[in-house]
Amino acid sequence: MRKKAFKFQTLYLSFLMIIGLNLTQAQEKKVAPTSQELYNEIAAMDTALFDAFNAKDMAKFKPLFTEDLEWYQDNGGLLSYETVFSNFEKMFENENKLTRQLVKGRLEVHPIKDFGAIETGVHQFRHIENGKEEIGTFKFMAIWKKVNNQWKISRMISYDH
């Protein structure tokens, strides 16, 4: 009976050690941390993107996206490149003076190995409606791809509307 108890204890302790090693390894980050340089580059691209948006400057805005763009919106579904820019053209013609501002302290940037970066954040859109300022605060995620040394958004997810 002692041999069986010893074998069980040995197997049980081995099992616990394996579980412990796996938990330790699972808690290690496998991706390099975001460099300040990458953070600054993506933050600058976010600024350039929305400076063009706020100015309704399609010539500067549109080239910041890949032509295989997929735009996901929680209340609008999946939109193609053509649909997205058709919608922006209509929006830019509108007189509502819609502007976007990034919420300070809510921008995060994470590298994507051999591709680009993930940008997440919170932003506010403002416009005047019926003489009153309307403000909407939403979350977003952009997948930036580095193409020929130029940053472009290939996927956009807009949610929490």
Side-chain angles (χ1 to χ4, degrees):
M1 190 65 135
R2 261 184 147 191
K3 275 188 168 181
K4 284 185 180 179
F6 178 75
K7 283 184 179 179
F8 175 75
Q9 287 175 343
T10 304
L11 286 172
Y12 183 70
L13 287 174
S14 296
F15 175 74
L16 288 178
M17 286 176 51
I18 290 169
I19 295 294
L21 285 173
N22 284 338
L23 288 175
T24 302
Q25 290 173 350
Q27 292 175 358
E28 290 178 25
K29 282 197 169 190
K30 300 288 183 189
V31 177
T34 303
S35 68
Q36 190 63 48
E37 179 184 4
L38 178 62
Y39 181 91
N40 293 344
E41 281 185 59
I42 298 301
M45 292 308 301
D46 182 272
T47 298
L49 179 71
F50 284 100
D51 282 352
F53 174 86
N54 291 340
K56 300 181 179 185
D57 187 342
M58 188 63 78
K60 289 183 181 175
F61 186 70
K62 194 172 182 178
L64 296 173
F65 295 88
T66 62
E67 290 184 14
D68 68 343
L69 172 70
E70 291 180 357
W71 189 296
Y72 301 88
Q73 191 154 332
D74 56 0
N75 59 7
L78 171 61
L79 305 173
S80 68
Y81 179 87
E82 293 80 16
T83 302
V84 166
F85 286 102
S86 173
N87 291 346
F88 276 122
E89 285 172 6
K90 290 174 191 165
M91 183 186 307
F92 286 4
E93 291 170 3
N94 194 332
E95 295 297 321
N96 68 7
K97 295 189 172 44
L98 179 68
T99 60
R100 182 264 196 178
Q101 181 177 8
L102 186 64
V103 175
K104 286 189 186 271
R106 299 297 302 270
L107 179 71
E108 291 183 26
V109 176
H110 303 276
I112 301 175
K113 186 177 189 250
D114 300 328
F115 186 84
I118 299 168
E119 174 192 16
T120 63
V122 176
H123 50 196
Q124 292 183 326
F125 288 87
R126 300 167 182 261
H127 71 279
I128 304 297
E129 190 170 307
N130 300 322
K132 181 181 171 199
E133 183 179 48
E134 297 286 330
I135 302 171
T137 303
F138 313 109
K139 296 176 182 173
F140 71 97
M141 175 186 292
I143 307 296
W144 289 89
K145 181 178 184 179
K146 202 157 197 183
V147 180
N148 297 326
N149 219 26
Q150 297 288 316
W151 287 104
K152 295 177 180 259
I153 294 176
S154 64
R155 303 292 180 265
M156 177 64 84
I157 302 169
S158 180
Y159 61 101
D160 199 25
H161 290 95

